[in-house]
Amino acid sequence: MSGQSTTRTVPGGGSGTARAAGRTGQRLSGLAVALGLVLFLGGFAWGAVVYRPYTVPTPSMAPTIGSGDRVLAQRIDGDDVRRGDVVVFQDATWANVPVVKRVVAVGGDRVSCCQDGKLEVNGQEIEEPYLPEGTVAEFGAFPEVTVPKGRLFLLGDERSGSVDSTAHLTDAASGTVSRGAVQARVDAVVWPMDGMLKAPTGFERLGALSSPGPLRTVVAMVIAGAVLVLGGAAYGPLAKRAGASRARANAGSPGGR
């Protein structure tokens, strides 16, 4: 009896491992692609339901929104509008087309401009960092207006050239607009890609500000979905190739004796 031991390889063992690895890779690949499609299409569908795109044709909201900029505005009820919001509304006395302006006062507020070059709401001076650099609010000076219940007083950020509530002070509603005229609240400038609008912090002393919409979550879903679809589609072939390479390496190695 020889003192040497013999080790034998199992025929087809390498190929079986490769096939198992290939099947696992295909399952994971399919799962990633399916989940990615759900996130990708779900994000787009959610965004289409919640948001409306608008193109702003004038510079009256500069520098927050420039002429020709493309914005995404969240569909909201007029009752949800708060001070500082940039909204899209349509009113027959304002040419009856969608208009984008900033809400500076709501029903019951007293608003005027300007002492010390600043907007005043309910006797408080409002810091407005969104105004063009080097300008003051007094470009759009106007006497005190008490905003009727259920209505809004709106100004453009470019006060010197904006046709806003100050241009309609002689109207029956003193330049104000019904909350029901609001169609949406602007969340972000998407072209050029300036991103989310900054919070109008100067109005915090008068009440709570509006919370941003779900745009960041929608974008994250779309990006994550795209990554999973592309990654999943690539993973299956790569896993299959890696399994085949391992099988060839196992088949080419001699059995130990």
Side-chain angles (χ1 to χ4, degrees):
M1 181 175 179
S2 173
Q4 293 180 333
S5 62
T6 301
T7 303
R8 296 181 180 178
T9 58
V10 178
S15 61
T17 302
R19 285 194 296 270
R23 286 194 296 269
T24 301
Q26 288 174 355
R27 292 192 188 100
L28 292 175
S29 173
L31 180 62
V33 170
L35 179 59
L37 286 173
V38 170
L39 289 173
F40 187 80
L41 298 177
F44 268 113
W46 187 13
V49 170
V50 174
Y51 286 97
R52 296 180 63 178
Y54 292 92
T55 299
V56 179
T58 71
S60 66
M61 284 298 296
T64 306
I65 305 171
S67 177
D69 284 2
R70 191 79 167 171
V71 303
L72 281 181
Q74 181 184 4
R75 303 169 195 260
I76 61 169
D77 187 271
D79 292 337
D80 296 329
V81 175
R82 296 178 178 176
R83 303 176 189 90
D85 288 349
V86 177
V87 299
V88 182
F89 66 94
Q90 189 163 335
D91 186 280
T93 61
W94 292 52
N96 204 29
V97 296
V99 179
V100 178
K101 301 293 178 187
R102 188 181 297 273
V103 176
V104 297
V106 298
D109 285 347
R110 293 173 289 104
V111 57
S112 64
C113 191
C114 296
Q115 292 185 10
D116 302 324
K118 292 185 178 181
L119 181 75
E120 284 193 7
V121 181
N122 297 336
Q124 298 203 44
E125 293 184 346
I126 306 299
E127 295 292 336
E128 298 184 279
Y130 45 76
L131 293 181
E133 187 176 353
T135 66
V136 291
E138 63 190 7
F139 275 114
F142 58 91
E144 183 174 277
V145 174
T146 298
V147 183
K149 293 293 184 181
R151 301 189 71 85
L152 307 167
F153 196 90
L154 307 104
L155 299 176
D157 288 356
E158 176 51 80
R159 299 287 158 82
S160 61
S162 174
V163 180
D164 48 35
S165 286
T166 60
H168 296 270
L169 292 176
T170 57
D171 295 350
S174 301
T176 63
V177 171
S178 168
R179 282 183 175 270
V182 174
Q183 299 175 345
R185 179 175 57 228
V186 178
D187 247 10
V189 178
V190 294
W191 186 261
M193 291 187 289
D194 292 342
M196 303 290 288
L197 299 192
K198 295 180 180 179
T201 52
F203 292 92
E204 282 182 323
R205 291 181 297 170
L206 300 175
L209 303 179
S210 294
S211 299
L215 184 58
R216 286 191 175 95
T217 303
V218 169
V219 172
M221 286 177 61
V222 171
I223 293 175
V227 170
L228 283 171
V229 169
L230 294 175
Y235 180 77
L238 291 175
K240 186 176 181 180
R241 181 177 296 181
S245 298
R246 286 194 297 270
R248 286 194 298 269
N250 290 336
S253 60
R257 292 182 63 85

